[in-house]
């Protein structure tokens, strides 16, 4: 095989790999939680996906403000800190803090949690499945005052 042909094939292979890496087919998921309004806005590649009511930390507790990447997804987690309370569709993002479903949907829109971000179970499942499909590495969670 001529040397120039081998170099051309190597260059073509490198270009194909670069294009595949740049266009993985995964969308960017942005989750923004607004503490003041107790709402969550979710966008996918910049397009609005959902806006939901949430519950965050009540007085005496805190929901951490900042920008995070999810590090763990658990379909069902039980809180070891709070009497093994079920936390369906948990998306852990910072030192044990998670976005998860709650049975206390009547309290959504008010700060009543110990610091986690609570959603209705259906919304938690939708967000969980979205992040699982698009990838934790393609997801950003921003919590603002």
């Amino acid at each position: 095989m001529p040397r120039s042909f081998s170099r051309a094939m190597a260059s073509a292979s490198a270009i194909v790999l670069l294009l595949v890496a740049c266009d993985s087919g995964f969308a960017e998921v942005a989750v923004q939680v607004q503490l003041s309004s107790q709402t969550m806005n979710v966008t996918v590649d910049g397009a609005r996906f959902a806006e939901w009511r949430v519950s965050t930390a009540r007085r005496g507790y805190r929901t951490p403000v900042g920008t995070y990447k999810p590090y763990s997804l658990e379909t069902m987690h039980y809180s070891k800190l709070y009497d093994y309370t079920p936390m369906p569709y948990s998306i852990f993002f910072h030192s044990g803090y998670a976005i998860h479903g709650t049975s206390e949907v009547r309290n959504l829109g008010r700060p009543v949690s110990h610091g986690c971000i609570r959603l209705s179970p259906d919304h938690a499942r939708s967000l969980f499945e979205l992040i699982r499909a698009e990838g934790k590495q393609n997801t950003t969670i921003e919590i603002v005052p």
Side-chain angles (χ1 to χ4, degrees):
M1 187 177 318
R3 197 172 188 161
S4 61
F5 179 76
S6 294
R7 260 189 256 148
M9 287 302 293
S11 294
S13 295
I15 290 170
V16 168
L17 287 174
L18 182 61
L19 289 173
V20 168
C22 290
D23 186 19
S24 64
F26 294 106
E28 292 293 323
V29 177
V31 177
Q32 185 185 65
V33 176
Q34 183 98 33
L35 298 177
S36 63
S37 64
Q38 296 290 289
T39 57
M40 173 186 289
N41 289 289
V42 182
T43 60
V44 178
D45 280 342
R48 184 181 169 143
F49 178 80
E51 181 176 339
W52 296 314
R53 291 183 306 142
V54 299
S55 287
T56 61
R58 67 181 184 227
R59 186 181 302 259
Y61 294 90
R62 74 178 196 90
T63 299
V65 172
T67 302
Y68 308 96
K69 290 278 191 190
Y71 63 83
S72 179
L73 302 174
E74 292 186 36
T75 305
M76 179 55 82
H77 179 83
Y78 293 92
S79 171
K80 292 170 189 63
L81 290 175
Y82 300 106
D83 301 320
Y84 292 92
T85 301
M87 298 166 55
Y89 304 106
S90 291
I91 303 158
F92 288 91
F93 62 89
H94 176 70
S95 302
Y97 289 93
I99 298 169
H100 63 81
T102 182
S103 60
E104 295 184 31
V105 294
R106 70 186 180 283
N107 287 322
L108 294 175
R110 297 190 315 230
V112 297
S113 81
H114 290 111
C116 284
I117 299 165
R118 299 178 183 177
L119 286 168
S120 77
D122 288 342
H123 296 158
R125 184 180 66 242
S126 294
L127 182 62
F128 182 94
E129 290 173 353
L130 175 65
I131 292 172
R132 184 168 55 187
E134 301 303 338
K136 294 179 293 196
Q137 70 281 4
N138 296 317
T139 302
T140 302
I141 299 168
E142 180 185 23
I143 303 168
V144 298

